[in-house]
């Protein structure tokens, strides 16, 4: 999983050459990661489509944040190129629109529900997928009340899977958000 370079804001040609050069130097499968909200660098669908032709570039985690971007990528890339949602709240609709799956934050807290929702969407069972996703909607939102991974670390600690603690520059999850995330976790059925 290779994120777009941050800070220097390369051109689309610079992005293409960057990823192509890396792909030519390694023999492991590469998944591109586009998350302009964190990097200030947006890899456009045209660039992704070019990179999809490089042998060991096998997919993209797309976190641009719109369903239209997912649909555009699906239409521009071959079906064997894995378009993966990087936005939990858009995952259900993204898969129904042709994405292959998700690299998920929510799945750390509700893995069974995320799996079942994705499985239903992959078979185009819209009704089941949407019903499960509606149970996850508050969780998708509340896991981003503060910068990821702060809320998800707190949630899995609340579930008893890890001890309390987070490394700087991340700080502990603000008390003011605890009950909202607990309520979302109860709605998803991961705590009682």
């Amino acid at each position: 999983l290779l994120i777009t370079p941050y800070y220097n804001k390369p051109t689309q040609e610079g992005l293409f050459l960057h990823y192509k050069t890396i792909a030519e130097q390694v023999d492991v499968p590469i998944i591109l990661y586009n998350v302009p909200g964190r990097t200030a660098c947006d890899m456009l669908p045209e660039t992704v489509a070019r990179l999809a032709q490089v042998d060991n570039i096998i997919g993209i985690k797309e976190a641009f944040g719109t369903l239209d971007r997912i649909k555009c990528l699906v239409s521009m890339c071959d079906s064997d190129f894995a378009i993966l949602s990087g936005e939990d709240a858009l995952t259900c609709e993204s898969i129904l629109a042709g994405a292959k799956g998700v690299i998920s934050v929510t799945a750390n807290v509700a893995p069974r529900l995320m799996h079942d929702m994705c499985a239903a969407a992959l078979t185009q069972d819209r009704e089941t997928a949407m019903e499960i996703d509606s149970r996850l909607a508050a969780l998708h939102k509340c896991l981003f009340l503060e910068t990821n991974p702060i809320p998800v670390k707190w949630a899995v600690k609340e579930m008893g899977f890890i001890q309390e603690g987070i490394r700087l520059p991340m700080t502990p999850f603000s008390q003011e958000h605890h009950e909202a995330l607990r309520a979302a976790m109860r709605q998803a059925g991961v705590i009682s």
Side-chain angles (χ1 to χ4, degrees), residues 17-63:
L17 292 171
H18 170 76
Y19 281 112
K20 182 177 178 287
T21 299
I22 293 170
E24 290 170 348
Q25 300 300 313
V26 301
D27 60 359
V28 296
I30 294 171
I31 297 175
L32 310 170
Y33 184 10
N34 189 44
V35 59
R38 289 195 176 219
T39 64
C41 178
D42 183 18
M43 186 164 29
L44 298 177
E46 295 79 9
T47 304
V48 175
R50 286 177 68 199
L51 287 166
Q53 302 305 308
V54 177
D55 285 343
N56 57 334
I57 298 180
I58 63 165
I60 184 169
K61 176 182 179 182
E62 180 56 62

